[in-house]
Amino acid sequence: MSDYVRTEILAPVALLTIENPPVNLLSDEVWEAIDRAVAAAAADAAVGAIVLMGGGTTFVAGADIRRFARLATIDDAMMRTGWTHAMLRRLEDTPKPLVAAIHGHALGGGLELAMACHFRIATLDARLGQPEVGLGIIPGAGGTQRLPRLCGPDVALRLCTDGTPLTAERAAHAGLLDHIVAGDLRSSALGYARAKAVQARTRKTREVVLPPDVIDAGLAACAATRAGLAATARGRRAPLAAVDAIEAGLLMSFDDGSLREREIFAACVVAIESRALRHLFFAERAAARLPADVTRVGAATVRYAAVVGAGTMGSGIAMAYANAGLPVVLKDVDGAALDRAMTAIARHYESAVAKGRLESYRRDRALALITPTMDFDEFPQVDVVVEAVFEDQALKERAFAEIAAVTREDCLLASNTSTLDIDALAEASGRPAQVVGHHFFSPANVMTLLEIVRGRRTSAAVLSTSLAIARQLGKSAVIVGNGFGFVANRMLAYYLREALLLLEEGASVGQIDGAMTAFGMPVGPFALQDIAGIDVGARIRQHLAAGGRTWASGPQSRLPDQLYRMGRYGQKTNAGWYRYEPGSRHPIADPLIEQLADDAAGARGLTRGAVADDDIVARLLTALANEGARVLEERLAQRAADIDVAYCHGFGFPRARGGPMFHAHTIGLDTVLARVHDYRARFGDYWQPAPLLEQLVRESRSFYEGS
Ligand code: T1G
């Protein structure tokens, strides 16, 4: 038995089990072990058929993408894929029937391995797909050439450009599977292989010839897919690259199409997009683990939740729990507010059903899981309470004292506060070990970031349970420290400050937002403020001012407070940085803003002038990276990768750029530092380089230790 493949000769079948836990990844060594094991089985006279299956919980989850860091050049990638393509050709040429027996996942290289086998069977729960596009690459082991031959160009295009796996049933219907196993996979596979041994028939996918009409339809589908991607790819290259490879396969021989796939894969795997997406793949998993200094304790089971405060955030949080299938009580002291919340929630689900985004039975199930209330009757039964009352310290402290008095000792007490002190809330509760921040991002039922704010006395069990809740809710968790604005909003303040100063310097709201959306942000900084509410920021500044504090030194535009005083809060008042027709969220430029900016510039003795888009992007992203370095220095984030996860999931930072810290990493920290110095010279001493940034540049190191 080799290290990675266990061979059992159960004549006339050779059963080969791939063993590379936890998900049987295809490292070079595993590919080679499969190659050897199949060849040895085929040479064994006692063997009439061969079964390839995965050990443990799954078939094969794909190539080990950690190894792609070694593919520094296109030539490296061409060498690697050349070997893999040749190996799969050898597998396909095996003279005895070769059966892939699939359970769990057959993804990426795992599906490509299965497609080079002669037959494929799977359990009903199996999932088969080519998720490479989510990693900024395309299938690199013949997937774009074998998929169309097995399931046609349409399914191949969908699998390779969208990345969503097929269920076993759909895979069978598409032609990817020959049989779905009802019982035990091992025994079914042995029986299936014994029958194939009798027939002694092999079937080479690469020899399937598509009829001209299928090819023509496929080429048309390629064109249609490209057109669709023009609107949805948001600058990502891999989905279009997958279309190119599939199209090549329709126009060329298998060998020529395979060579074209390898060339396209190679160009993708060395590009920043793939490096960024592979970075995020591991960053999301690292962020979801307990910090190294926290005792490993199991998570408590959460079956029943309560949300206190039926405002926008509270309603969104309640929907997030209901969408995850968890019953949730939504409490407010104001019956009218509760009615408004339930009406808004019902309207949200109705709209989703009307748009075809939600099946009606899911709407009914979610609505049935949300129970409005004005009392605490259910609170002794709940496992977690999320406080989402008005952003006022005294109000929240009172809420925590009340909640602690009506819940079990082991109930997790979370606050959705975005700026207030978790430790103060913990003390007010009388149960500080049970208190933690669960900072959702608006809309809480949509945005996938959950900042888990660790208080000084938050227990390991509460942190562990909070991570489990994030998984249950389908959120990406980031554990952050209890500093003002935590991580994402703390850095955002510096990003927004530069946007406002650029407005006063001469760029328009539309230009600044346009520059940032061209970079890849879903919305620009001004549209973002109109969505979140200009009043939210104004009240935070008022709260700080009441305590004699401000969020940062240095110049701050007065324009947001001016809009606040004018009642221009953003979308909620049909006017903010933009105008909005009643009932519409479409931003309309408002000449008043230019007038206000002219006045503000005049008050600062500035003459507004032209600003280049590139300068806008550089200024805003430099502010993010520099402040991110400070967040790391203050240990408010465990690692730079956590900040990347927070920005991609909290503000839709383009994943193909890896997050604000990864983007700085790719343009070079020396470039970032030089920009900080340049801004300091041009705009004032408030542009202070973060000491960590200076140190990393001095030592030629990266934000990512060991990378
Ligand atoms: N490469 C490296 N590590 C991987 C990995 C991968 N492809 N997939 C998972 N891991 C690690 C993961 O980081 C974690 O490590 C552990 O395995 C368990 O994963 C040649 C080029 C299969 C649905 O994109 O979607 O094939 O944290 O926590 O929740 O043409 O893993 O324990 O140290 O996610 O049960 C294509 C990616 C690759 C599939 C299981 N394949 N993986 O989810 O476990 S490119 C993929 C997943 C390719 C070919 C091309 C999920 C999963 P650690 P996990 P899970």
PDB file of all heavy atoms in Angstrom, residues 684-703:
ATOM      1  N   GLY A 684      -0.842  67.300   5.087  1.00  0.00           N
ATOM      2  CA  GLY A 684      -0.696  67.619   6.515  1.00  0.00           C
ATOM      3  C   GLY A 684      -0.226  66.436   7.344  1.00  0.00           C
ATOM      4  O   GLY A 684      -0.258  65.278   6.924  1.00  0.00           O
ATOM      5  N   ASP A 685       0.185  66.782   8.568  1.00  0.00           N
ATOM      6  CA  ASP A 685       0.813  65.796   9.451  1.00  0.00           C
ATOM      7  C   ASP A 685      -0.132  64.709   9.919  1.00  0.00           C
ATOM      8  O   ASP A 685       0.308  63.737  10.516  1.00  0.00           O
ATOM      9  CB  ASP A 685       1.395  66.520  10.693  1.00  0.00           C
ATOM     10  CG  ASP A 685       2.620  67.349  10.310  1.00  0.00           C
ATOM     11  OD1 ASP A 685       3.071  67.164   9.144  1.00  0.00           O
ATOM     12  OD2 ASP A 685       3.082  68.151  11.125  1.00  0.00           O
ATOM     13  N   TYR A 686      -1.424  64.890   9.680  1.00  0.00           N
ATOM     14  CA  TYR A 686      -2.325  63.829  10.152  1.00  0.00           C
ATOM     15  C   TYR A 686      -2.064  62.540   9.376  1.00  0.00           C
ATOM     16  O   TYR A 686      -2.434  61.457   9.798  1.00  0.00           O
ATOM     17  CB  TYR A 686      -3.786  64.267  10.046  1.00  0.00           C
ATOM     18  CG  TYR A 686      -4.380  64.207   8.670  1.00  0.00           C
ATOM     19  CD1 TYR A 686      -5.128  63.095   8.276  1.00  0.00           C
ATOM     20  CD2 TYR A 686      -4.189  65.223   7.750  1.00  0.00           C
ATOM     21  CE1 TYR A 686      -5.686  63.028   7.000  1.00  0.00           C
ATOM     22  CE2 TYR A 686      -4.745  65.158   6.483  1.00  0.00           C
ATOM     23  CZ  TYR A 686      -5.488  64.059   6.105  1.00  0.00           C
ATOM     24  OH  TYR A 686      -6.016  63.986   4.844  1.00  0.00           O
ATOM     25  N   TRP A 687      -1.427  62.661   8.226  1.00  0.00           N
ATOM     26  CA  TRP A 687      -0.978  61.469   7.483  1.00  0.00           C
ATOM     27  C   TRP A 687       0.297  60.940   8.144  1.00  0.00           C
ATOM     28  O   TRP A 687       1.411  61.291   7.771  1.00  0.00           O
ATOM     29  CB  TRP A 687      -0.721  61.799   6.011  1.00  0.00           C
ATOM     30  CG  TRP A 687      -1.925  61.662   5.149  1.00  0.00           C
ATOM     31  CD1 TRP A 687      -2.727  62.672   4.703  1.00  0.00           C
ATOM     32  CD2 TRP A 687      -2.493  60.445   4.645  1.00  0.00           C
ATOM     33  NE1 TRP A 687      -3.748  62.162   3.939  1.00  0.00           N
ATOM     34  CE2 TRP A 687      -3.634  60.794   3.896  1.00  0.00           C
ATOM     35  CE3 TRP A 687      -2.158  59.098   4.765  1.00  0.00           C
ATOM     36  CZ2 TRP A 687      -4.438  59.853   3.239  1.00  0.00           C
ATOM     37  CZ3 TRP A 687      -2.944  58.149   4.123  1.00  0.00           C
ATOM     38  CH2 TRP A 687      -4.072  58.525   3.367  1.00  0.00           C
ATOM     39  N   GLN A 688       0.125  60.109   9.171  1.00  0.00           N
ATOM     40  CA  GLN A 688       1.261  59.533   9.874  1.00  0.00           C
ATOM     41  C   GLN A 688       1.415  58.079   9.443  1.00  0.00           C
ATOM     42  O   GLN A 688       0.456  57.305   9.532  1.00  0.00           O
ATOM     43  CB  GLN A 688       0.981  59.534  11.383  1.00  0.00           C
ATOM     44  CG  GLN A 688       1.072  60.905  12.033  1.00  0.00           C
ATOM     45  CD  GLN A 688       2.514  61.328  12.242  1.00  0.00           C
ATOM     46  OE1 GLN A 688       3.434  60.529  12.029  1.00  0.00           O
ATOM     47  NE2 GLN A 688       2.703  62.585  12.629  1.00  0.00           N
ATOM     48  N   PRO A 689       2.604  57.673   8.950  1.00  0.00           N
ATOM     49  CA  PRO A 689       2.767  56.247   8.607  1.00  0.00           C
ATOM     50  C   PRO A 689       2.666  55.385   9.856  1.00  0.00           C
ATOM     51  O   PRO A 689       3.233  55.708  10.890  1.00  0.00           O
ATOM     52  CB  PRO A 689       4.169  56.195   8.001  1.00  0.00           C
ATOM     53  CG  PRO A 689       4.843  57.448   8.370  1.00  0.00           C
ATOM     54  CD  PRO A 689       3.816  58.460   8.673  1.00  0.00           C
ATOM     55  N   ALA A 690       1.911  54.320   9.761  1.00  0.00           N
ATOM     56  CA  ALA A 690       1.817  53.389  10.888  1.00  0.00           C
ATOM     57  C   ALA A 690       3.205  52.796  11.131  1.00  0.00           C
ATOM     58  O   ALA A 690       3.870  52.350  10.183  1.00  0.00           O
ATOM     59  CB  ALA A 690       0.821  52.280  10.565  1.00  0.00           C
ATOM     60  N   PRO A 691       3.651  52.740  12.377  1.00  0.00           N
ATOM     61  CA  PRO A 691       4.976  52.169  12.674  1.00  0.00           C
ATOM     62  C   PRO A 691       5.151  50.772  12.101  1.00  0.00           C
ATOM     63  O   PRO A 691       6.221  50.432  11.580  1.00  0.00           O
ATOM     64  CB  PRO A 691       5.016  52.176  14.200  1.00  0.00           C
ATOM     65  CG  PRO A 691       4.100  53.284  14.605  1.00  0.00           C
ATOM     66  CD  PRO A 691       3.002  53.299  13.581  1.00  0.00           C
ATOM     67  N   LEU A 692       4.095  49.967  12.119  1.00  0.00           N
ATOM     68  CA  LEU A 692       4.216  48.605  11.581  1.00  0.00           C
ATOM     69  C   LEU A 692       4.510  48.650  10.086  1.00  0.00           C
ATOM     70  O   LEU A 692       5.348  47.908   9.576  1.00  0.00           O
ATOM     71  CB  LEU A 692       2.930  47.808  11.833  1.00  0.00           C
ATOM     72  CG  LEU A 692       2.881  46.411  11.191  1.00  0.00           C
ATOM     73  CD1 LEU A 692       3.973  45.507  11.758  1.00  0.00           C
ATOM     74  CD2 LEU A 692       1.502  45.780  11.381  1.00  0.00           C
ATOM     75  N   LEU A 693       3.854  49.581   9.398  1.00  0.00           N
ATOM     76  CA  LEU A 693       4.097  49.700   7.951  1.00  0.00           C
ATOM     77  C   LEU A 693       5.554  50.061   7.706  1.00  0.00           C
ATOM     78  O   LEU A 693       6.238  49.462   6.872  1.00  0.00           O
ATOM     79  CB  LEU A 693       3.165  50.751   7.364  1.00  0.00           C
ATOM     80  CG  LEU A 693       3.282  51.046   5.870  1.00  0.00           C
ATOM     81  CD1 LEU A 693       2.979  49.810   5.043  1.00  0.00           C
ATOM     82  CD2 LEU A 693       2.338  52.191   5.458  1.00  0.00           C
ATOM     83  N   GLU A 694       6.052  51.018   8.479  1.00  0.00           N
ATOM     84  CA  GLU A 694       7.465  51.422   8.321  1.00  0.00           C
ATOM     85  C   GLU A 694       8.398  50.254   8.621  1.00  0.00           C
ATOM     86  O   GLU A 694       9.371  49.998   7.910  1.00  0.00           O
ATOM     87  CB  GLU A 694       7.763  52.589   9.259  1.00  0.00           C
ATOM     88  CG  GLU A 694       7.034  53.875   8.870  1.00  0.00           C
ATOM     89  CD  GLU A 694       7.370  55.028   9.802  1.00  0.00           C
ATOM     90  OE1 GLU A 694       7.157  54.853  11.020  1.00  0.00           O
ATOM     91  OE2 GLU A 694       7.831  56.076   9.312  1.00  0.00           O
ATOM     92  N   GLN A 695       8.083  49.514   9.660  1.00  0.00           N
ATOM     93  CA  GLN A 695       8.938  48.396  10.062  1.00  0.00           C
ATOM     94  C   GLN A 695       8.957  47.313   8.984  1.00  0.00           C
ATOM     95  O   GLN A 695      10.022  46.821   8.600  1.00  0.00           O
ATOM     96  CB  GLN A 695       8.436  47.788  11.379  1.00  0.00           C
ATOM     97  CG  GLN A 695       9.259  46.600  11.863  1.00  0.00           C
ATOM     98  CD  GLN A 695       8.579  45.878  13.019  1.00  0.00           C
ATOM     99  OE1 GLN A 695       7.554  46.352  13.540  1.00  0.00           O
ATOM    100  NE2 GLN A 695       9.106  44.743  13.427  1.00  0.00           N
ATOM    101  N   LEU A 696       7.792  46.972   8.447  1.00  0.00           N
ATOM    102  CA  LEU A 696       7.730  45.922   7.419  1.00  0.00           C
ATOM    103  C   LEU A 696       8.506  46.344   6.182  1.00  0.00           C
ATOM    104  O   LEU A 696       9.217  45.557   5.571  1.00  0.00           O
ATOM    105  CB  LEU A 696       6.275  45.607   7.072  1.00  0.00           C
ATOM    106  CG  LEU A 696       5.435  44.934   8.171  1.00  0.00           C
ATOM    107  CD1 LEU A 696       3.993  44.775   7.716  1.00  0.00           C
ATOM    108  CD2 LEU A 696       6.024  43.588   8.577  1.00  0.00           C
ATOM    109  N   VAL A 697       8.384  47.610   5.818  1.00  0.00           N
ATOM    110  CA  VAL A 697       9.138  48.078   4.640  1.00  0.00           C
ATOM    111  C   VAL A 697      10.632  48.044   4.941  1.00  0.00           C
ATOM    112  O   VAL A 697      11.436  47.570   4.135  1.00  0.00           O
ATOM    113  CB  VAL A 697       8.683  49.492   4.245  1.00  0.00           C
ATOM    114  CG1 VAL A 697       9.608  50.076   3.180  1.00  0.00           C
ATOM    115  CG2 VAL A 697       7.237  49.477   3.746  1.00  0.00           C
ATOM    116  N   ARG A 698      10.976  48.468   6.124  1.00  0.00           N
ATOM    117  CA  ARG A 698      12.408  48.499   6.511  1.00  0.00           C
ATOM    118  C   ARG A 698      13.000  47.091   6.478  1.00  0.00           C
ATOM    119  O   ARG A 698      14.106  46.886   6.030  1.00  0.00           O
ATOM    120  CB  ARG A 698      12.524  49.100   7.926  1.00  0.00           C
ATOM    121  CG  ARG A 698      13.885  49.528   8.344  1.00  0.00           C
ATOM    122  CD  ARG A 698      13.862  50.359   9.628  1.00  0.00           C
ATOM    123  NE  ARG A 698      13.093  49.744  10.697  1.00  0.00           N
ATOM    124  CZ  ARG A 698      11.951  50.252  11.191  1.00  0.00           C
ATOM    125  NH1 ARG A 698      11.447  51.360  10.641  1.00  0.00           N
ATOM    126  NH2 ARG A 698      11.303  49.649  12.182  1.00  0.00           N
ATOM    127  N   GLU A 699      12.209  46.138   6.918  1.00  0.00           N
ATOM    128  CA  GLU A 699      12.702  44.760   7.004  1.00  0.00           C
ATOM    129  C   GLU A 699      12.320  43.919   5.778  1.00  0.00           C
ATOM    130  O   GLU A 699      12.467  42.699   5.786  1.00  0.00           O
ATOM    131  CB  GLU A 699      12.159  44.102   8.286  1.00  0.00           C
ATOM    132  CG  GLU A 699      12.622  44.809   9.560  1.00  0.00           C
ATOM    133  CD  GLU A 699      11.896  44.308  10.810  1.00  0.00           C
ATOM    134  OE1 GLU A 699      11.052  43.390  10.667  1.00  0.00           O
ATOM    135  OE2 GLU A 699      12.185  44.825  11.900  1.00  0.00           O
ATOM    136  N   SER A 700      11.765  44.606   4.759  1.00  0.00           N
ATOM    137  CA  SER A 700      11.326  43.880   3.531  1.00  0.00           C
ATOM    138  C   SER A 700      10.447  42.686   3.873  1.00  0.00           C
ATOM    139  O   SER A 700      10.621  41.585   3.334  1.00  0.00           O
ATOM    140  CB  SER A 700      12.557  43.405   2.740  1.00  0.00           C
ATOM    141  OG  SER A 700      13.325  44.517   2.360  1.00  0.00           O
ATOM    142  N   ARG A 701       9.520  42.907   4.778  1.00  0.00           N
ATOM    143  CA  ARG A 701       8.596  41.818   5.145  1.00  0.00           C
ATOM    144  C   ARG A 701       7.186  42.158   4.692  1.00  0.00           C
ATOM    145  O   ARG A 701       6.927  43.264   4.226  1.00  0.00           O
ATOM    146  CB  ARG A 701       8.623  41.608   6.681  1.00  0.00           C
ATOM    147  CG  ARG A 701       9.891  40.919   7.145  1.00  0.00           C
ATOM    148  CD  ARG A 701       9.803  40.375   8.549  1.00  0.00           C
ATOM    149  NE  ARG A 701       9.556  41.407   9.550  1.00  0.00           N
ATOM    150  CZ  ARG A 701       8.507  41.396  10.391  1.00  0.00           C
ATOM    151  NH1 ARG A 701       7.615  40.437  10.298  1.00  0.00           N
ATOM    152  NH2 ARG A 701       8.359  42.346  11.288  1.00  0.00           N
ATOM    153  N   SER A 702       6.294  41.186   4.806  1.00  0.00           N
ATOM    154  CA  SER A 702       4.926  41.354   4.325  1.00  0.00           C
ATOM    155  C   SER A 702       3.970  41.387   5.505  1.00  0.00           C
ATOM    156  O   SER A 702       4.328  41.014   6.620  1.00  0.00           O
ATOM    157  CB  SER A 702       4.589  40.161   3.422  1.00  0.00           C
ATOM    158  OG  SER A 702       3.284  39.707   3.658  1.00  0.00           O
ATOM    159  N   PHE A 703       2.744  41.793   5.248  1.00  0.00           N
ATOM    160  CA  PHE A 703       1.706  41.711   6.291  1.00  0.00           C
ATOM    161  C   PHE A 703       1.455  40.260   6.665  1.00  0.00           C
ATOM    162  O   PHE A 703       0.876  39.950   7.684  1.00  0.00           O
ATOM    163  CB  PHE A 703       0.382  42.295   5.788  1.00  0.00           C
ATOM    164  CG  PHE A 703       0.293  43.788   5.813  1.00  0.00           C
ATOM    165  CD1 PHE A 703      -0.167  44.477   4.694  1.00  0.00           C
ATOM    166  CD2 PHE A 703       0.656  44.521   6.930  1.00  0.00           C
ATOM    167  CE1 PHE A 703      -0.281  45.867   4.697  1.00  0.00           C
ATOM    168  CE2 PHE A 703       0.547  45.911   6.944  1.00  0.00           C
ATOM    169  CZ  PHE A 703       0.067  46.576   5.826  1.00  0.00           C
TER     170      PHE A 703
END
